[in-house]
Amino acid sequence: MPVDNVTRVLADFARVAKAMANPVRLHLLDLLSQAERNVEDLAATASVPLGNTSAQLKVLRDAGLVQSRREGTRIFYRLAGEDVASLYASLRQVSRHRLPEDSEPTGAGHARSTPPEGAVTREELLRRVRDDKTVLIDVRPALEYAAAHIPGAISIPLEELRARMDEVPVGHEFIVYCRSAHCLLSREALWLLKAHGRCARRLEEGMLEWRLHRLPLESGLRAVRNHMVPLRSRRLAGAAAPGS
């Protein structure tokens, strides 16, 4: 390939990389990896001024990473494809492995004090369809749960968990999950459940990885505020565990 052509190809690569080289834009990609959102919702959820949010979304759109549609006066954004979600997940994974440990962000209350040991793998979760006592809780915001969730999961957003603790009865083992393997929502939920005497573990990965592995999905708010029902009785039973 001629040098000029190579340079043009590399310039295209650099354009995509440059579009991702911004914390606000990465946050927006993180949110859009869960569900389509309008600009106002993205701004509020990311705690970024509306004008700045629109400007950052334009950069992502110009780089081909997101697409938009208009509905009345609102503009909605979504990822341009699963390859964008995969690219974002790969970037997070490489950063996690290659950056010094002391560069990892801290905070989120007690979330960082929760040890990673004992997390449930997706293979183990799929085997739990035979378990009469396991209940899966999705602690992401309801909008993200409605867009897609693991079949059989109950929606209790983290900000509602403390107030709805009476819906989490003693006697079951609870598995909590959130957006991705690096999401802190499930770690905070795990601490909260254990502080209230519940037996709980967190899913090692999250919705992003689950979807990228093409595992079963369910959508809608049908299961919100439903009674706690073990996984065996729910639709995850339609998913076969690897090697089973």
Side-chain angles (χ1 to χ4, degrees):
M1 182 182 293
V3 174
D4 286 348
N5 290 341
V6 171
T7 301
R8 281 196 293 271
V9 169
L10 293 177
D12 287 339
F13 294 169
R15 184 179 177 187
V16 172
K18 184 177 180 180
M20 298 184 73
N22 177 284
V24 172
R25 293 197 285 270
L26 288 175
H27 194 176
L28 295 175
L29 288 176
D30 185 47
L31 296 174
L32 292 172
S33 74
Q34 304 297 308
E36 181 184 64
R37 280 180 152 92
N38 64 60
V39 180
E40 292 79 7
D41 178 61
L42 283 167
T45 305
S47 300
V48 176
L50 184 60
N52 189 21
T53 300
S54 295
Q56 303 301 345
L57 286 167
K58 183 180 185 304
V59 174
L60 293 172
R61 186 179 59 195
D62 290 346
L65 296 175
V66 302
Q67 296 175 345
S68 62
R69 66 177 179 87
R70 182 178 292 274
E71 187 175 297
T73 59
R74 290 186 167 181
I75 300 176
F76 288 78
Y77 281 85
R78 63 187 182 278
L79 293 187
E82 286 292 278
D83 56 341
V84 179
S86 181
L87 176 61
Y88 173 66
S90 296
L91 176 62
R92 296 191 67 158
Q93 190 74 6
V94 171
S95 299
R96 183 88 169 187
H97 287 167
R98 300 302 179 186
L99 289 178
E101 290 185 7
D102 59 4
S103 69
E104 187 174 301
T106 57
H110 296 273
R112 286 296 180 184
S113 67
T114 303
E117 293 80 7
V120 177
T121 65
R122 61 178 177 273
E123 291 82 7
E124 180 181 352
L125 179 61
L126 289 168
R127 289 195 296 270
R128 288 294 190 97
V129 299
R130 303 180 181 89
D131 190 334
D132 287 325
K133 292 186 178 295
T134 301
V135 177
L136 184 62
I137 301 179
D138 186 320
V139 298
R140 299 173 301 152
L143 180 149
E144 297 175 15
Y145 172 88
H149 55 267
I150 298 175
I154 297 293
S155 175
I156 306 184
L158 177 61
E159 63 269 20
E160 299 177 13
L161 182 57
R162 187 183 298 273
R164 294 173 60 184
M165 195 61 68
D166 59 345
E167 298 180 35
V168 187
V170 176
H172 292 290
E173 179 173 24
F174 298 95
I175 299 175
V176 295
Y177 75 91
C178 53
R179 291 169 178 151
S180 69
H182 311 298
C183 178
L184 296 181
L185 298 179
S186 62
R187 297 170 188 265
E188 184 71 16
L190 180 60
W191 175 85
L192 191 58
L193 287 165
K194 288 187 173 183
H196 284 78
R198 272 44 171 199
C199 180
R201 298 167 68 190
R202 69 175 185 86
L203 187 61
E204 184 177 55
E205 298 176 331
M207 177 50 57
L208 176 60
E209 293 85 4
W210 185 273
R211 196 178 79 239
L212 289 175
H213 280 89
R214 301 185 183 280
L215 292 168
L217 294 173
E218 199 170 54
S219 62
L221 290 169
R222 180 176 52 81
V224 174
R225 296 187 182 277
N226 201 353
H227 294 295
M228 294 293 174
V229 179
L231 285 176
R232 184 175 182 178
S233 303
R234 292 182 168 273
R235 287 195 174 184
L236 188 59
S244 63

